[in-house]
Amino acid sequence: MPSGSLSARDHRKGGRHPRLNADSGRYRYGELTWPEVKEAAQAGRVAVVPIATIEDHGPHLPIDTDLRLCNAVCEEAASRARDRAVVVPAINHGYSPHHLDFPGAISIGAHTLIDYGVDVCRSLAHHGFRKILIVNGHGSNTPFVDVVARLAVVETGVLAAAVNYWAAPGVRAVAESLRESDRIGGMNHACEFETSLYLAIAPELVDMSKAVRELSHRPTENYWTDLIAGDGPLVMMEPWSALSQTGVMGDPTKATAEKGRALLDAAAGGIVTLIDELRARPPAQRKDHH
Ligand SMILES: [Zn+2]
């Protein structure tokens, strides 16, 4: 998208690290050579680690939805902040055992996910990255990426943080301004929000003729769920097949590519804000009071 292209001003900003990006402008970790990785770490660039999952997203969206959307947001963010961030190849698989009644879901265990995430952070810390931002694209990974970030801090001494991309600063306001689906539940899973993003990223893979509105997760007094409006205080997850007939939770019939472009822009901008906030944070001064 045009907003991702580098302006002349961005180029000048990049000039503060003249060794780095003047020639390549590369922001994908996997496309760097090892000397470039070393330079990126020494320049204090933030390592952005996308993490998602593979699971059913209704009859109209591919099972890679969480992964593709999260990658797109992180790629766009790192592209905009290419002088101060790199995007690491994503952790593709996540915690989705409650989705296994639907064909397609690939779930890894909670401990596997935590160990995997911490190992990735440990490797990045070993190469000299001092700031790591884990960007999650799958709701049920949330408690685990929190733990991954905490463990990475404890075990490596670097600053690791985690965020769900839909909770990045600015996204909620944009999503609520665009929302035509139900205030609670309309933006949840394979919904107005995710379908709009997919339409903006790869419309040829979306079959809107099969999009259906489904709001059957049975909210009660303290239990409800919505990606953007937030969840109720009672946190629980029943088998997805008990919550949805189609795999959809929300209203994808209200999705448009135009909304998706606005959401992608907001999410990428929000991640850039977090990259800069992390970069600006001074190293923690630990003091042992024994
Ligand atoms: Zn999803």
Side-chain angles (χ1 to χ4, degrees):
M1 49 197 301
S3 50
S5 60
L6 272 180
S7 67
R9 189 170 155 270
D10 290 330
H11 276 296
R12 282 198 300 277
K13 270 183 3 192
R16 272 188 253 139
H17 305 294
R19 282 184 307 145
L20 250 184
N21 285 314
D23 23 350
S24 72
R26 288 186 201 151
Y27 57 89
R28 296 187 184 102
Y29 183 89
E31 294 180 359
L32 302 180
T33 62
W34 72 256
E36 288 171 334
V37 170
K38 185 175 177 179
E39 286 183 6
Q42 286 175 346
R45 287 164 82 177
V46 175
V48 177
V49 181
I51 177 168
T53 201
I54 300 292
E55 67 182 21
D56 57 286
H57 274 76
H60 68 294
L61 283 179
I63 57 175
D64 78 347
T65 296
D66 288 351
L67 182 61
R68 187 177 296 256
L69 271 43
C70 189
N71 264 326
V73 168
C74 291
E75 287 255 330
E76 178 62 20
S79 160
R80 294 182 190 184
R82 62 181 65 201
D83 61 333
R84 50 204 196 278
V86 289
V87 58
V88 175
I91 298 175
N92 293 351
H93 299 303
Y95 184 78
S96 298
H98 48 294
H99 277 268
L100 287 167
D101 286 341
F102 288 93
I106 294 177
S107 183
I108 64 174
H111 296 285
T112 307
L113 176 54
I114 292 169
D115 288 346
Y116 188 163
V118 174
D119 281 351
V120 170
C121 293
R122 195 181 283 120
S123 300
L124 291 166
H126 179 73
H127 298 314
F129 289 93
R130 310 306 296 168
K131 307 281 174 65
I132 299 170
L133 179 59
I134 303 162
V135 180
N136 178 36
H138 168 53
S140 293
N141 284 349
T142 304
F144 307 113
V145 296
D146 181 358
V147 171
V148 167
R150 287 166 186 259
L151 283 173
V153 171
V154 169
E155 293 187 13
T156 70
V158 308
L159 181 55
V163 65
N164 293 334
Y165 77 80
W166 55 87
V171 178
R172 184 177 186 175
V174 171
E176 289 296 9
S177 76
L178 298 171
R179 186 197 286 266
E180 294 179 89
S181 61
D182 311 67
R183 177 70 175 76
I184 298 291
M187 290 185 172
N188 241 331
H189 177 91
C191 54
E192 182 184 16
F193 183 90
E194 287 191 316
T195 305
S196 293
L197 276 168
Y198 214 122
L199 283 170
I201 295 162
E204 69 280 6
L205 295 177
V206 183
D207 186 351
M208 285 303 283
S209 72
K210 293 183 177 158
V212 290
R213 173 181 178 272
E214 182 169 355
L215 291 166
S216 47
H217 76 280
R218 298 178 294 137
T220 49
E221 190 178 353
N222 288 293
Y223 166 72
W224 66 86
T225 171
D226 188 277
L227 212 52
I228 299 302
D231 296 342
L234 188 58
V235 176
M236 58 185 184
M237 180 55 71
E238 294 168 298
W240 204 255
S241 59
L243 301 170
S244 172
Q245 298 293 309
T246 62
V248 170
M249 204 184 274
D251 190 358
T253 68
K254 298 291 194 296
T256 68
E258 193 182 355
K259 290 178 186 175
R261 284 189 285 273
L263 292 168
L264 180 58
D265 180 57
I271 297 300
V272 171
T273 298
L274 297 178
I275 287 168
D276 289 334
E277 192 168 326
L278 275 181
R279 264 173 63 86
R281 190 170 180 82
Q285 298 300 317
R286 190 173 180 176
K287 186 175 179 185
D288 188 344
H289 287 281
H290 287 96

